[in-house]
Amino acid sequence: MARDFYEVLGVSRTASQDEIQQAYRKLARRHHPDVNKDPGAEERFKDLNEAYSVLSDPKTRARYDRFGEDFRKIPEDFDERVAAGAGGGFRGRRAAGGGGPRVRYATGFGDGFGAEGIDIEDLLGSMFGAGAAPGGVPGADQEAELPLTVEEAYRGGRRTVTLAGPTGQPRRYEVDVPPGVTDGQRIRLAGEGGRGSGDAAAGDLYLRVRIQPHPQFRLDGRDVHVQVPVTPWEAALGATVPVPTPGGGTAKVTVPAGSSSGRRLRLRGEGMPNPRGANGDLYAELRVMVPPALGDRERELFEELAATSSFDPRRTR
């Protein structure tokens, strides 16, 4: 029996796209076969991926809401074809050899179909010729998320991803991730989507990149922001300090004398790589840190500085 995709994700039929995404992420982490060794985890993970691939795409979701489990049999230009047929004397007719239950859908067109709507197999038979329904319909494109760390997105490379394959069983895909991939970017796996009926081609599988939160780096497109701690004397006197980069190395940044916390220093081209243009920039945001505990001599020096300096950061300029 076909599963209701909304029930699979545990959301209502009026759920927003954000609610659907949040539900999928939570459940996918719990039931991923690499994490959950329960015998039913793989089947549950397969159902989650199939449900999310449909409901995460507004167009596919709308077709699913309208036609239910038969939505993959419906051409994307369904309404245009029905409209053209209704206005030109179009009549649905039963496809040759069509057996099994007959499903009817309301079309909103009174002319040519009657008040009860249309028979989906009759409609497909009329559109594509007798005997063409349900075969001969291209497979649907599908979409799933590909979580990456900042470092993985920076370097790119080959990854193994476990998803529900076109046969409905969990399948491992070898994916080439381009260096510098950005959050929301899609990677296409041709022919790995839903299976077509008959001799029709399979759809494509699109992996949408989701870059995970990082304890150090914050991404803004291809630009990378990182906080750099400096001592009070480095900030006051100036210094050259190391800055971590998303590639795993370090760069050097010159801290101008008289810098305060929050000052941003740009390292051009040290952000995320861009195979088709200029690399992003790395922004080092200074954070002045004081010793958590002072030795006797350090305290003497700070007290001497306090007695000598006339600097008051709270003074109105």
Side-chain angles (χ1 to χ4, degrees):
M1 180 178 296
R3 297 288 306 276
D4 182 282
F5 291 151
Y6 291 97
E7 291 183 1
V8 171
L9 294 179
V11 299
S12 70
R13 301 189 76 84
T14 59
S16 67
Q17 293 299 117
D18 285 341
E19 290 172 332
I20 289 173
Q21 183 181 87
Q22 291 170 9
Y24 169 75
R25 287 183 174 181
K26 179 180 178 180
L27 294 171
R29 284 194 296 268
R30 182 188 308 168
H31 296 283
H32 195 287
D34 291 343
V35 176
N36 191 331
K37 301 306 180 183
D38 186 273
E42 286 194 1
E43 184 66 23
R44 176 68 169 151
F45 186 68
K46 175 202 71 174
D47 291 342
L48 290 170
N49 276 286
E50 182 182 13
Y52 183 70
S53 70
V54 172
L55 299 184
S56 62
D57 185 323
K59 291 184 178 179
T60 307
R61 179 183 179 183
R63 294 172 65 198
Y64 175 72
D65 288 344
R66 184 174 179 185
F67 300 109
E69 63 183 275
D70 290 308
F71 75 101
R72 289 190 177 94
K73 298 179 182 179
I74 311 300
E76 292 188 3
D77 59 349
F78 171 80
D79 286 328
E80 289 81 356
R81 297 193 184 194
V82 172
F90 176 84
R91 296 292 186 275
R93 57 187 176 86
R94 182 173 298 273
R102 314 295 289 179
V103 183
R104 303 183 72 82
Y105 298 96
T107 66
F109 296 98
D111 182 19
F113 295 100
E116 296 182 0
I118 61 172
D119 186 305
I120 187 59
E121 293 185 15
D122 286 351
L123 174 63
L124 292 176
S126 299
M127 287 182 177
F128 301 108
V137 180
D141 290 342
Q142 297 179 345
E143 183 173 301
E145 286 195 347
L146 175 61
L148 297 174
T149 65
V150 172
E151 293 86 352
E152 289 170 336
Y154 181 94
R155 294 189 297 265
R158 198 163 186 81
R159 281 178 55 84
T160 301
V161 181
T162 302
L163 297 170
T167 63
Q169 297 299 319
R171 176 175 174 182
R172 293 184 181 274
Y173 297 88
E174 295 296 323
V175 182
D176 290 318
V177 178
V181 68
T182 57
D183 190 68
Q185 184 173 334
R186 298 200 306 173
I187 299 174
R188 176 174 173 257
L189 302 181
E192 297 291 353
R195 291 181 301 176
S197 59
D199 296 328
D204 297 331
L205 173 62
Y206 290 91
L207 299 179
R208 188 175 294 276
V209 172
R210 292 302 179 197
I211 298 180
Q212 306 302 292
H214 194 280
Q216 278 186 304
F217 303 114
R218 178 176 62 84
L219 300 186
D220 181 11
R222 295 189 186 277
D223 292 336
V224 180
H225 298 257
V226 59
Q227 286 191 342
V228 179
V230 295
T231 64
W233 45 92
E234 288 173 331
L237 303 176
T240 299
V241 298
V243 178
T245 66
T250 57
K252 297 289 186 179
V253 64
T254 299
V255 179
S259 294
S260 298
S261 285
R263 183 167 188 171
R264 291 197 313 166
L265 306 174
R266 184 174 72 168
L267 286 76
R268 190 183 300 274
E270 293 290 344
M272 299 294 283
N274 183 3
R276 299 182 180 180
N279 291 349
D281 298 328
L282 177 63
Y283 289 90
E285 182 176 317
L286 301 183
R287 186 181 180 191
V288 180
M289 308 289 290
V290 299
L294 296 175
D296 292 342
R297 180 55 179 159
E298 289 175 317
R299 180 173 293 278
E300 289 179 5
L301 292 172
F302 272 109
E303 289 174 345
E304 181 180 345
L305 177 63
T308 304
S309 178
S310 61
F311 173 65
D312 183 359
R314 295 167 295 280
R315 180 182 303 164
T316 303
R317 296 183 179 181

